Amino acid sequence: MNAMTTRYIAAFIALFVLIVGVGMMMGSAFTVRLLVEAFAFALIAMGLNIQWGFGGLFNFGILGMLMVGGFAVTFISYPVNMEFWGSEGPLYLGRTLLGMAIGAVLIFFAHRVQRFGITGKGRGAVIVIAWFIAYVIFRSQMDPAASYITSTAGWVGGLGLPVLLGWAFGGVLAGLMGWLIGKVSLGLRADYLAIATIGIAEILRAVLKNLEWLTRGTLTVSPIPWPVWTPQIYQANGADTTTSFILARGGFLAVVVVIVLIALFLIHRAYLGPWGRMNRAIRDNYIAAGSMGKDVTGRQLEIFVFGSVLMGIGGAILVSFVGIYDPSSYQPINHTFIIWVMLIVGGAGNNFGALFGGIFIYIVWMLSEPLAQALFNALSRFSSDMGWGAIPDIASRAVQMRVFVMGLVVTIALRFAPQGLLPEVIRRKE
Amino acid sequence: MNDLIFFFNQAIIGGVVLGSIYALGAVGVTLIFGILRFAHFAHGDMMTLGGFISFVLAGIVAGLGIAFPLPIGFIVVPFAMLIAAGLALGIDKGFYAPLRARGAKPVTLLIASIGVTMMIQGLIRLFFGVGTYSFFDTQPKVLHRIELPFEGVTRPISFSEPQLLLVISTIIAVVALHYFLTRSRLGKGMRAMADNPDLAKVSGINTKLVVRVTWIIAGALACLAGTMLALDVSLKPDLAFNIVLPIFAAAILGGLGHAYGAIAGGFVLGFAETLAVFNWSVLLRPFRDNLPEWFEIPNTLSLVQSEYKLTVAFVILVVVLLVRPTGIFKGAST
Amino acid sequence: MSLIDLKDIKAGYGATPILNGVNMAIDASDIGVIVGPNGAGKSTTLKAIFGLLNVMDGTITFDGRDTTRLEADRLVPMGLSFVPQEHNVFTSMTVHENLEMGAFIRRDDISGTLDEVYEMFPDLKAKRRQPAGELSGGQRQMVAMGRALMSKPKLLMLDEPSAGLSPRYMMEIFEQVVKINAAGVGILMVEQNARQALAFATKGFVLANGQNRFTGTGQELLDDPDVAKSFLGG
Ligand SMILES: Nc1ncnc2c1ncn2[C@@H]1O[C@H](COP(=O)(O)OP(=O)(O)OP(=O)(O)O)[C@@H](O)[C@H]1O
Ligand SMILES: [Mg+2]
């Protein structure tokens, strides 16, 4: 047994002990909830690991993927809104679609005007004008459709399909988004890519937040169904409140763990196979790999899409579990940066590192608040004993402590353990 | 005529104000990039931090009970800039310098700056909560109105005192920076290092000193921008976090590493945002009678809805990154 | 005691040494010329002297002091100057500013030295307000040399100053090198135009595989049939 194996075992045993400890301190219902979310975040961190760890691709737009995944599951699994389907809404949307198609055709031809002898600056101008006209056509259809739907049916509602289908659709939609983002921005240098992805994610966030007819925007959608029995169903069958929560969340947890394990198994096999080898070759020596005739951009796009799919599924799981889709609740810190902390601390390039980091950091994140609160309470008691008065607003301040803790953790990790707790295993002979 | 003044008040003054803020922030981002070659993501939070430093100092000064003809928040800005510069130096020494010494890649520094962002945000909210603060609790915010001596013009040109001060201090900062970069020995050393770090070292330029000066300037300008933004609007813990992307957009627009480009980029974006949400139908209204029958002036005729104001900068950013990642002003200066 | 003295230098960019024991000694009155095949370690030798890479073994003494571990920002004030092989001007800065950067470490009045440099390279005076990036290859080389002279060095190190220049420009640069040396500045230069350079060298070094192969006066190396055969192209 080599030192690395020992480290793996030690890390996961320590994690297990931590979870048991949390369970004893905070109660089972809380712990199971924590674990569901932790595993969902681990899945997301594994997605980032594919992009950054395997592919060396920077993604600061994780938030966008989670939002897309969350939207997908909401749309698929939320009950059908009959009022919308009975109204003229679908007709309006059909017209908008038609407008978009016309715009797309315009833009398509604008890109081809050189056939008609218009080149250089002239072509650029034609393209800009075409975009502008397409935008005007789109807005002229979209705006009335949006206001009609919001004023009559409220919003379009869902499709009432199974939740698991919604998670899968979350993956598909996020993958599609990843493909688009990758297609336009993967040629950029790492820091430009970071800014571009965060920019695109912010655009997405603003759009989803303001598309009231589609996402209900700030009005939020709830309750979003679960793939397993909810506590309410258990209660209706005679379980008491605590047990119902533990049972229901336990069922949810089982589903999520199975998904994470399947993902881990598949990714790890791919990582050890020729696909993973090629990607590592590209990451470590971009130029040499390109000159050896490998399709660098194609591979990178593939990686970006795969990672995005996992992020989308993770985002969908989170929304189902919380039961509410609130586009304004997405924050760069809670939904992008924390994933980076997970991966850096866990060990970029290592699937188990991502899994470990995801679960571990999420627990630290969730525990920072009660711990900080306890600390502040103690300090407050001390300072009021000393006659300096108590610390005001302890509860709201304690929430902020965890952001600080995360920042501290990642800077310390970068400085003292830049490879993470479970570093990537470099196989010399492959 | 009244409509033109409305346009001026809304779009031009708004654009100049926003552009000044963006320019001040983008200069810092671009200088750090030029010298240290990494995208300093925590810059927006250094702005917020600067705003809060000024706020605390203003609180202390207001407690002294002296009356000032200018907003107290503005009076204390030089001192706040000093403190912010010191903090910027400390942040570099504590978090970035050790990574550089190890020869870490710029991407690692970028991730570290995310860590710093989180720490600053956490600390600010720890001490100030999540509420909104105003510099004008003890003082009124002065509004300037300039009546135009034309017949039939009833609407005055109007702007607030903080806006005027912002524009004046931006001009001062830009001019001072220009003289620093082109006339002073250290400023030229800074440009030399941004141009060719190896040759700068070979020439005996004290690169450590240049790095320190860069942080001092960036920190001080961030504090100035943060304070002026807070004076103009209000002080919130997430004040500049939303603005860090437009600032990067401005810096990239101007070509990362090019100080003058960043300033220009800041103003371009400032105007782009305000013009994009401006309701152009206001300007059409006077011609109501001359327009053809079928043309009905819509009530709102803005390019994008105001909810999407922030996304204007991102869209421009993404387009620039895709079409011309070296920036649109490349080769113009610095 | 020589102005600069290299004893058994072993140095490299990573763990493996590129230089395996290089010895050299140059006086203030000397023009030392290093020749050798591509990849021999000529540039690496100059970089090792200038503290730009890690010296694993051996000692470098400059002006009577051990400078083995010193970095560039300490060496320049001691009187060492270096013109790298590539990227040796600040392209976005004017010619004048490039020269000023050469004098960065000086606190005294630099106008006298500026005049001397402009006198040495009259082309530059006319282009003084132009960005160095807009100059021709030969003019850039002059800017690079001028920049290195601005710190009033005791020893000037040049890495292939004639690379890519026409014969006329090459001779002009060499003439200036001799003049600079006559003014009391020691020269250590790497040259591919070995015959022309060795003709005026007081000391010549042939480097191959990171080691000295031959050492002698320039004339001795030119006359040596072995050197001529293997390194000077017959
Ligand atoms: N920055 C570097 N990092 C790693 N290895 C390097 C670096 N620069 C040069 N080398 C290696 O060091 C060896 C010597 O290079 P050096 O530049 O000293 O050669 P040279 O004699 O100057 O050749 P040339 O005549 O082509 O300039 C070469 O094998 C080269 O591959
Ligand atoms: Mg060489």
Side-chain angles (χ1 to χ4, degrees):
Chain A
M1 198 158 85
N2 62 20
M4 249 314 131
T5 325
T6 328
R7 189 188 263 227
Y8 274 60
I9 294 174
F12 279 98
I13 287 180
L15 193 60
F16 184 73
V17 171
L18 179 67
I19 293 170
V20 171
V22 172
M24 289 192 323
M25 236 171 54
M26 315 287 295
S28 309
F30 174 84
T31 312
V32 180
R33 177 198 136 194
L34 182 71
L35 282 180
V36 175
E37 289 166 359
F39 271 94
F41 271 102
L43 193 66
I44 298 162
M46 279 154 63
L48 180 63
N49 184 39
I50 294 182
Q51 296 178 338
W52 170 243
F54 297 175
L57 302 175
F58 222 86
N59 182 359
F60 259 3
I62 304 171
L63 168 149
M65 304 300 174
L66 303 192
M67 274 191 100
V68 167
F71 162 72
V73 73
T74 310
F75 183 66
I76 294 283
S77 69
Y78 197 78
V80 178
N81 181 1
M82 276 312 174
E83 218 176 311
F84 165 73
W85 293 102
S87 73
E88 308 238 304
L91 199 72
Y92 272 98
L93 285 185
R95 260 187 250 145
T96 310
L97 222 61
L98 197 69
M100 277 170 79
I102 294 172
V105 168
L106 262 179
I107 292 167
F108 178 82
F109 279 109
H111 277 268
R112 250 143 252 261
V113 284
Q114 72 269 37
R115 299 255 174 99
F116 307 103
I118 305 175
T119 49
K121 282 230 164 67
R123 178 170 173 260
V126 170
I127 291 176
V128 170
I129 293 170
W131 274 94
F132 182 77
I133 296 176
Y135 177 74
V136 170
I137 296 178
F138 169 72
R139 280 283 303 274
S140 70
Q141 297 304 311
M142 187 71 250
D143 289 6
S147 56
Y148 174 79
I149 296 172
T150 40
S151 64
T152 55
W155 67 304
V156 297
L159 296 179
L161 296 172
V163 175
L164 286 181
L165 196 68
W167 293 359
F169 187 56
V172 171
L173 215 55
L176 220 69
M177 209 62 226
W179 185 82
L180 266 179
I181 296 178
K183 197 75 192 157
V184 294
S185 56
L186 273 185
L188 298 172
R189 270 182 17 206
D191 32 11
Y192 283 24
L193 185 59
I195 312 270
T197 48
I198 203 169
I200 295 174
E202 287 301 312
I203 295 174
L204 210 58
R205 180 157 77 126
V207 169
L208 283 178
K209 202 154 93 180
N210 289 309
L211 287 186
E212 212 172 288
W213 61 275
L214 186 64
T215 65
R216 284 193 91 194
T218 44
L219 296 174
T220 74
V221 185
S222 70
I224 292 163
W226 277 25
V228 293
W229 275 18
T230 55
Q232 288 72 26
I233 302 179
Y234 280 105
Q235 280 163 22
N237 284 311
D240 66 277
T241 318
T242 322
T243 326
S244 75
F245 270 98
I246 296 175
L247 284 176
R249 287 174 178 176
F252 204 116
L253 178 63
V255 178
V256 175
V257 169
V258 167
I259 292 178
V260 169
L261 288 184
I262 293 174
L264 185 66
F265 174 76
L266 291 178
I267 298 169
H268 204 63
R269 264 211 6 198
Y271 174 75
L272 294 179
W275 183 79
R277 260 199 311 276
M278 168 159 351
N279 286 324
R280 283 197 296 285
I282 291 175
R283 176 194 66 191
D284 296 338
N285 202 338
Y286 190 91
I287 295 156
S291 61
M292 268 150 58
K294 291 184 176 154
D295 173 15
V296 175
T297 337
R299 291 295 121 167
Q300 291 188 329
L301 195 56
E302 213 170 276
I303 284 185
F304 206 74
V305 170
F306 279 168
S308 304
V309 169
L310 289 192
M311 291 172 183
I313 298 177
I317 293 176
L318 283 174
V319 165
S320 292
F321 183 65
V322 183
I324 176 169
Y325 186 60
D326 176 7
S328 12
S329 70
Y330 287 84
Q331 296 296 331
I333 288 192
N334 307 22
H335 297 97
T336 295
F337 299 161
I338 192 175
I339 318 285
W340 275 93
V341 180
M342 291 168 174
L343 188 62
I344 299 291
V345 171
N350 184 345
N351 291 307
F352 297 98
L355 177 69
F356 173 81
I359 298 174
F360 174 66
I361 289 299
Y362 192 71
I363 295 177
V364 172
W365 168 254
M366 290 302 279
L367 285 190
S368 296
E369 187 186 335
L371 287 182
Q373 193 154 1
L375 178 74
F376 287 155
N377 277 327
L379 278 179
S380 178
R381 229 170 294 129
F382 173 73
S383 73
S384 41
D385 286 350
M386 299 295 284
W388 299 331
I391 303 177
D393 306 329
I394 288 183
S396 71
R397 278 163 208 261
V399 188
Q400 306 307 333
M401 249 333 246
R402 59 186 191 177
V403 178
F404 176 78
V405 169
M406 282 298 120
L408 195 65
V409 166
V410 74
T411 42
I412 289 178
L414 283 175
R415 177 136 174 216
F416 297 105
Q419 313 289 334
L421 292 177
L422 300 179
E424 180 183 9
V425 189
I426 312 286
R427 256 165 266 267
R428 289 257 167 256
K429 274 197 161 176
E430 348 184 76
Chain B
M1 199 53 202
N2 273 332
D3 302 298
L4 261 184
I5 294 178
F6 179 74
F7 173 75
F8 185 84
N9 284 344
Q10 288 278 306
I12 304 295
I13 295 187
V16 169
V17 166
L18 201 57
S20 304
I21 300 276
Y22 287 171
L24 288 177
V27 165
V29 163
T30 225
L31 287 181
I32 294 175
F33 187 89
I35 301 298
L36 298 165
R37 308 264 147 200
F38 82 103
H40 185 237
F41 221 81
H43 210 75
D45 287 288
M46 293 205 343
M47 285 171 64
T48 321
L49 190 63
F52 274 99
I53 294 172
S54 299
F55 184 72
V56 171
L57 290 183
I60 296 172
V61 172
L64 299 178
I66 313 167
F68 291 101
L70 290 173
I72 301 180
F74 182 72
I75 306 261
V76 298
V77 129
F79 305 98
M81 284 166 76
L82 272 181
I83 298 176
L87 283 176
L89 279 178
I91 288 173
D92 180 55
K93 206 168 166 62
F95 301 108
Y96 303 134
L99 297 181
R100 281 202 303 277
R102 194 179 74 206
K105 281 188 267 173
V107 186
T108 311
L109 283 151
L110 171 60
I111 302 175
S113 76
I114 291 294
V116 170
T117 280
M118 293 171 87
M119 285 197 282
I120 298 180
Q121 283 213 3
L123 279 183
I124 289 179
R125 291 178 191 203
L126 190 62
F127 287 108
F128 297 96
V130 288
T132 305
Y133 296 83
S134 168
F135 276 96
F136 296 98
D137 287 339
T138 53
Q139 257 180 314
K141 197 184 224 169
V142 180
L143 278 181
H144 293 286
R145 284 170 202 285
I146 304 176
E147 306 282 349
L148 292 186
F150 298 116
E151 210 166 312
V153 177
T154 47
R155 194 189 278 278
I157 289 179
S158 68
F159 48 85
S160 71
E161 187 170 27
Q163 291 178 331
L164 180 66
L165 292 174
L166 165 65
V167 173
I168 293 175
S169 40
T170 305
I171 293 171
I172 294 175
V174 167
V175 170
L177 188 71
H178 171 74
Y179 276 98
F180 174 74
L181 287 176
T182 52
R183 301 292 155 86
S184 80
R185 177 170 155 275
L186 256 177
K188 288 181 199 169
M190 242 170 107
R191 280 166 56 213
M193 195 171 156
D195 180 314
N196 187 338
D198 292 328
L199 189 62
K201 212 173 157 196
V202 163
S203 304
I205 292 174
N206 186 340
T207 51
K208 293 214 171 83
L209 179 66
V210 171
V211 168
R212 280 203 291 274
V213 173
T214 307
W215 281 110
I216 289 174
I217 294 176
L221 287 184
C223 174
L224 178 64
T227 307
M228 296 318 288
L229 180 60
L231 280 168
D232 180 28
V233 195
S234 60
L235 188 58
K236 281 183 292 189
D238 57 358
L239 179 74
F241 191 63
N242 294 327
I243 256 180
V244 69
L245 280 174
I247 283 177
F248 267 98
I252 290 174
L253 199 62
L256 272 179
H258 301 251
Y260 305 119
I263 294 164
F267 281 101
V268 168
L269 279 190
F271 277 110
E273 271 187 33
T274 39
L275 292 182
V277 296
F278 183 72
N279 186 0
W280 292 94
S281 62
V282 174
L283 286 188
L284 286 180
R285 248 169 247 158
F287 307 103
R288 203 166 338 186
D289 305 331
N290 315 6
L291 286 172
E293 286 283 319
W294 53 267
F295 190 88
E296 202 181 319
I297 302 172
N299 273 335
T300 55
L301 192 69
S302 58
L303 217 46
V304 297
Q305 287 138 301
S306 54
E307 303 96 270
Y308 294 109
K309 186 176 177 198
L310 264 184
T311 53
V312 172
F314 305 152
V315 171
I316 294 180
L317 163 72
V318 172
V319 170
V320 167
L321 275 178
L322 301 178
V323 179
R324 215 170 150 181
T326 45
I328 49 175
F329 303 109
K330 181 112 208 271
S333 48
T334 329
Chain C
M1 170 122 231
S2 311
L3 180 59
I4 191 162
D5 215 336
L6 276 69
K7 285 215 167 62
D8 285 323
I9 294 302
K10 293 192 176 62
Y13 298 90
T16 45
I18 302 281
L19 305 181
N20 302 296
V22 170
N23 290 286
M24 261 169 219
I26 300 281
D27 280 320
S29 58
D30 276 332
I31 296 180
V33 172
I34 307 176
V35 299
N38 291 118
K42 306 182 297 291
S43 297
T44 307
T45 305
L46 296 193
K47 287 186 208 162
I49 296 175
F50 213 67
L52 294 174
L53 46 86
N54 146 35
V55 176
M56 302 158 189
D57 203 10
T59 49
I60 303 169
T61 334
F62 176 67
D63 207 11
R65 282 168 63 184
D66 183 353
T67 58
T68 319
R69 309 249 161 261
L70 292 192
E71 291 202 14
D73 55 340
R74 298 280 305 281
L75 293 170
V76 177
M78 286 175 64
L80 201 57
S81 238
F82 176 40
V83 180
Q85 186 170 351
E86 290 170 319
H87 306 297
N88 50 18
V89 295
F90 297 109
T91 48
S92 67
M93 302 176 84
T94 64
V95 169
H96 192 81
E97 286 171 335
N98 264 276
L99 298 182
E100 284 179 330
M101 287 301 101
F104 190 87
I105 50 133
R106 283 176 57 183
R107 291 301 199 155
D108 53 340
D109 183 20
I110 63 168
S111 53
T113 327
L114 267 173
D115 291 342
E116 282 169 33
V117 169
Y118 282 138
E119 206 172 300
M120 196 178 285
F121 303 111
D123 281 13
L124 296 187
K125 186 156 193 178
K127 309 236 169 206
R128 149 166 127 255
R129 300 258 163 258
Q130 215 163 316
E134 294 173 5
L135 301 184
S136 75
Q139 290 162 342
R140 281 188 202 208
Q141 200 61 47
M142 293 175 185
V143 174
M145 275 175 73
R147 195 216 86 237
L149 287 172
M150 287 302 296
S151 62
K152 285 201 183 164
K154 293 180 184 138
L155 178 70
L156 176 64
M157 303 200 296
L158 304 164
D159 197 346
E160 302 198 19
S162 72
L165 301 191
S166 68
R168 198 184 68 83
Y169 257 124
M170 177 182 79
M171 290 323 291
E172 194 176 328
I173 295 271
F174 285 175
E175 266 169 39
Q176 296 302 341
V177 167
V178 173
K179 263 195 215 156
I180 294 166
N181 177 247
V185 180
I187 305 280
L188 178 59
M189 61 193 261
V190 171
E191 255 308 325
Q192 291 292 2
N193 294 311
R195 280 182 186 283
Q196 291 88 337
L198 285 175
F200 60 81
T202 58
K203 284 197 175 137
F205 308 92
V206 179
L207 229 60
N209 292 326
Q211 276 174 320
N212 292 64
R213 221 23 108 62
F214 297 92
T215 307
T217 65
Q219 201 54 47
E220 278 167 6
L221 291 189
L222 284 174
D223 294 343
D224 188 313
D226 285 344
V227 173
K229 204 169 97 213
S230 3
F231 299 107
L232 303 178

